[in-house]
Amino acid sequence: MSKFAARTVSEFLAARPQYARDVSKLHGYIDLAVDWEASHGLVLRAPKGEGSGEAEDWHRASLVPAPVALAPSPIPRVEFEKVVHLQPVLNRLFDRISRDDEFLDRTLESLGTSDEFTWRVYQMFLRQRALGVEKPGVVGIHRSDYLIDAPGGDEKGLRAKQVEFNTIAASFASLSSIVGDLHRYLLERTGYEGVLEKGVIDRGQIPGNESLTSIGDGIAAGFGLYGNKE
């Protein structure tokens, strides 16, 4: 999701966009968004359904628009820049955690089967560690998720709070990297007229998203560490 960015919290509160809650005003925007998503690859495979024969074959080949917000989500620029600058620090922290076998064993063994997915990943890690294969390098693909918090309902104290640090999901980089382009298109095409009830949205306030190219570059760099030159 692309982020609206005001310079300070005070400026953010004064100019942040506020959208209509009347769903009927969104119908035209939904049609524009669906058409844009279909023509720009912002799509997913259709969920599995029930059926057989030709209907099942047709459904297997179907695509649906990816679920996205129709407009940028507002966030103070100071908080946005803070989490961007914090990311390299978090990357180093989690890299060191991944190399601390004693900590991982003590922490993850207590899971048992309460979290089946994490337990299976941990078992894979143990089998790989037992092989004792020396690795020339490790590539970490990380994603931090944040929500904007207003302690005690005080909007002047808005802060970005981390709710998840993900080290395994990279599949949506090809989609998240173009959601901002969708928002820019809708902004230029409609100005969000009828939906934007208060505040402003400027094209320059929607930052770029380089998740797809940065992940690709990281994988290529890791590939090179194993002696592959092409």
Side-chain angles (χ1 to χ4, degrees):
M1 185 183 297
S2 53
K3 300 290 187 289
F4 174 91
R7 287 183 294 276
T8 66
V9 172
S10 296
E11 290 174 333
F12 166 75
L13 293 174
R16 64 175 170 175
Q18 297 184 35
Y19 304 114
R21 299 187 179 184
D22 184 352
V23 177
S24 65
K25 295 182 178 181
L26 303 179
H27 293 323
Y29 288 87
I30 293 173
D31 292 338
L32 285 174
V34 168
D35 289 343
W36 191 95
E37 289 188 64
S39 61
H40 290 79
L42 191 52
V43 293
L44 301 171
R45 281 188 175 273
K48 293 182 179 180
E50 298 181 359
S52 59
E54 293 183 1
E56 183 180 9
D57 292 339
W58 178 85
H59 193 272
R60 188 181 297 116
S62 298
L63 301 172
V64 296
V68 298
L70 286 176
S73 297
I75 178 173
R77 180 185 296 273
V78 63
E79 292 300 305
F80 177 78
E81 292 179 345
K82 182 188 299 181
V83 299
V84 170
H85 293 149
L86 181 61
Q87 189 61 42
V89 179
L90 293 174
N91 290 342
R92 290 193 292 272
L93 171 63
F94 278 81
D95 176 68
R96 291 177 180 176
I97 290 175
S98 72
R99 301 169 189 271
D100 189 337
D101 291 347
E102 181 181 350
F103 172 81
L104 291 175
D105 291 341
R106 185 173 67 252
T107 304
L108 297 179
E109 282 181 351
S110 63
L111 283 175
T113 58
S114 61
D115 186 332
E116 182 179 354
F117 175 76
T118 302
W119 179 252
R120 285 192 286 112
V121 172
Y122 176 56
Q123 295 304 307
M124 291 170 58
F125 165 75
L126 292 179
R127 290 194 294 270
Q128 185 275 334
R129 188 174 67 184
L131 294 175
V133 178
E134 183 177 351
K135 296 172 289 188
V138 176
V139 175
I141 300 176
H142 301 154
R143 189 195 75 223
S144 288
D145 297 340
Y146 294 88
L147 291 174
I148 296 299
D149 180 47
D154 180 12
E155 291 190 332
K156 294 183 179 180
L158 291 175
R159 294 291 185 272
K161 297 293 186 179
Q162 187 185 60
V163 295
E164 181 179 8
F165 189 94
N166 204 305
T167 63
I168 197 169
S171 58
F172 275 15
S174 59
L175 301 183
S176 62
S177 59
I178 57 176
V179 173
D181 294 334
L182 167 63
H183 291 160
R184 293 184 191 92
Y185 164 76
L186 291 174
L187 176 62
E188 293 175 357
R189 179 73 181 270
T190 69
Y192 285 109
E193 183 177 357
V195 175
L196 184 63
E197 293 190 335
K198 184 179 179 182
V200 295
I201 304 177
D202 182 83
R203 178 184 174 88
Q205 293 170 315
I206 302 177
N209 186 324
E210 299 178 352
S211 57
L212 179 59
T213 54
S214 61
I215 289 176
D217 289 343
I219 293 174
F223 189 68
L225 289 174
Y226 281 77
N228 303 289
K229 298 181 179 180
E230 298 181 359

